[in-house]
Amino acid sequence: MSWTRTVIVAVIAAAVVGTVVGLVVWAVMRETSTTEPPELRELDWWEHTVIYQIYPRSFKDSDGDGIGDLKGIISELEHLVDAGVGALWMSPIFKSPMYDFGYDISDFYDIQEEYGTMADFNELVEKAHALGLKVLLDYVPNHASTYSEYFKKSENREPGYEDYFVWADPVRVNGVNQEPSNWISQFGGSVWEFSEKRQQYYLHQFAIEQADFNFREQAVKDEMIKIMLFWIERGADGFRVDAIPHLFETAPDANGVYPDEPLSGNMFLRPDQAGYTTQIHTRDLIELYDVVYDWREAVDNWAKNNGSETKVLLAEAYANISMTMLYYGDEKGRIGAHFPFNFDFITTLSAESSARDFAYVIRHWFTYMPQGQVPNWVFGNHDQSRMPSRFRSNMVDGLNGLNMLLPGVAITYQGEEIGMKDGFVSWEDTVDVAALNQGNSSNYLEFSRDPCRTPYHWDNSTNAGFSTAPKTWLPVAEDYIEINLQAQKDASVSHYKVYQALTRLRKEKTLSHGAFDVQALSLNTLLLVRHLRTHDTYALLFNVGSVSDTVSLSNVDLLSEPLTVYISSVHSTRTPGSTISSSSITLLPGEALVLRAPPT
Ligand code: GLC
Ligand code: MG
Ligand code: CA
């Protein structure tokens, strides 16, 4: 057993629940006391990397059409190196009619023209690899565009394609055709759409133009693996796998009847909104895990047969904790994704959360994660309100600090490194199908994912340096004059400078291999300690509240004096290099400090 694993096991075994709920002290137990540094397991490339999510449409436009593209990404790869990240993941860049901005793929084997060509893709991979960056693609197995050849052939009942999608006959009630069941799409409205051509309904869990593949069909499963290997052969280092909980739906009974879902009883939802029914027939079906385990086998085999580095699979799954953890693998020893995304910071925490909520949510993941697996942390993505908008602007450095100091993989959504907030997108400028489906209603913004997708802020020039076009595909957020990369590079203190310091600090063995302890020192102040014998200890002290807070570190065993401020959040009055006394520390609202302490 590796040292890290020994520690994790020991840490869990030695978790001592303190007298106060929320004050859990993790003790690092290992036959200690020699001064020899511990023998450290060599980590695989992905186990402690920082993954940077690029939303290609909004990152950088090279040809002035108002839409980000591959050449734009290529021209800014150095930015990712400068920021200190290890891998990039691009949201879909494949051929698509763009009803769901690339998540509706019409050709899984080609690049969307407005993004570039296969040659551009090759150049991107080559340059990224030369810079030491891994390249992850978005893999969308649940559905294809209704403009895809697969769908056209299936609609025409071409041999071999008849059952590629989920087709169902109408239900006849009093001589009238009705939808096969009451299932509701994630974007609102029925999952069933009638095809005049085939005189049947097809199922779509997302937009009408995104038809769900039929994963009970072997040809579909084979094709999806073929697609995955096609991109691996072209240099992809792995995939973020889209929308997996929706892979399967309950099959019809012997008479072809689909069961209705019971109503959820959620009174805040209209009958055409996702969640109005319980989704027991449309989410988390147990059959899906075998498909994920097969994918893992396919990529592992490819890597083995080609003597290549590990190709990773990262599962996008908004699911309960048990169903989430099953993506790592099952009791029978089958393994799946390298990790399922940990969305807890998005789904469970908010500006109102206390330090105890933070500590609880962090431990929650570790409590359920199977032994020996790698955790990960997500603070935002292209589907969710941006991190400083969900929390508070003064929490940016503390949240990035948590992301970087917690064990495992850190995931950054483009713009988090400079504290970008949601942009305002008027109804007239709205393009997201999830919002459009609500109609011009007062609440379209509750559903719209446009605000978190507005273009990246490079500098304070026109369109924030994103594009020279007179009009960009989504408006640039107004605050780009204050919040932009160039300004933050020029400033002596900025979110970006803090981010860089954090990614640099991650290279320390304490962070890649050390044990961790997280606790609430008070209602609002969180303490995260990373500890590795014979190495310096690092701690993040973070006031997540909206009032000043005074805490003491005197009772924290792992932190011995002298305590040096190593990194401080932008509005902190403490400068890196200064020492602080552990007995009484007052933190401003949102203030975060990374402290360094000598080895214990
Ligand atoms: C995932 C994507 C989202 C997309 C959906 C359907 O949740 O992140 O953007 O709309 O899947 O592909
Ligand atoms: Mg362009
Ligand atoms: Ca499906």
Side-chain angles (χ1 to χ4, degrees), residues 61-69 114:
D61 174 22
S62 72
D63 58 358
D65 64 353
I67 297 169
D69 44 54
E114 59 194 354

Side-chain angles (χ1 to χ4, degrees), residues 166-211:
V166 183
W167 293 103
D169 290 327
V171 175
R172 299 284 291 178
V173 181
N174 302 330
V176 183
N177 276 356
Q178 280 191 2
E179 283 139 11
S181 69
N182 70 347
W183 303 349
I184 300 166
S185 136
Q186 293 307 298
F187 294 152
S190 172
V191 299
W192 300 106
E193 182 71 13
F194 194 67
S195 157
E196 290 295 338
K197 194 174 272 172
R198 196 165 144 149
Q199 289 296 304
Q200 275 188 312
Y201 285 94
Y202 67 87
L203 178 135
H204 61 92
Q205 293 231 38
F206 292 89
I208 291 172
E209 296 81 3
Q210 289 166 301

Side-chain angles (χ1 to χ4, degrees), residues 390-546:
R390 283 194 336 271
F391 292 94
R392 271 184 296 276
S393 304
N394 64 11
M395 293 171 77
V396 167
D397 301 318
L399 294 169
N400 281 332
L402 271 179
N403 199 1
M404 295 303 153
L405 264 78
L406 280 164
V409 177
I411 296 144
T412 293
Y413 175 51
Q414 70 180 39
E416 279 171 11
E417 75 280 24
I418 56 172
M420 269 180 71
K421 298 182 222 164
D422 287 344
F424 173 72
V425 183
S426 68
W427 172 253
E428 289 66 39
D429 285 336
T430 293
V431 290
D432 178 21
V433 54
L436 294 175
N437 281 3
Q438 300 305 316
N440 185 359
S441 56
S442 53
N443 67 343
Y444 76 93
L445 278 174
E446 268 172 52
F447 295 86
S448 183
R449 299 169 298 174
D450 290 333
C452 66
R453 298 174 176 179
T454 59
Y456 187 84
H457 301 175
W458 295 99
D459 55 40
N460 64 7
S461 68
T462 313
N463 292 332
F466 160 70
S467 169
T468 55
K471 192 169 161 58
T472 53
W473 82 282
L474 272 179
V476 175
E478 273 169 17
D479 57 10
Y480 78 92
I481 303 281
E482 304 97 73
I483 304 173
N484 67 71
L485 179 67
Q486 193 55 49
Q488 297 196 16
K489 282 185 172 175
D490 295 343
S492 56
V493 176
S494 67
H495 294 315
Y496 186 64
K497 294 262 164 90
V498 169
Y499 187 89
Q500 283 181 309
L502 289 166
T503 54
R504 233 177 286 130
L505 173 61
R506 268 175 82 81
K507 310 235 149 68
E508 294 293 323
K509 291 276 183 278
T510 305
L511 295 208
S512 54
H513 290 76
F516 87 102
D517 164 26
V518 65
Q519 55 178 289
L521 292 175
S522 65
L523 180 63
N524 284 333
T525 299
L526 184 73
L527 175 70
L528 168 70
V529 183
R530 298 300 309 276
H531 176 268
L532 181 63
R533 191 164 55 87
T534 78
H535 293 255
D536 283 341
T537 298
Y538 291 93
L540 176 76
L541 203 53
F542 180 19
N543 178 2
V544 302
S546 47

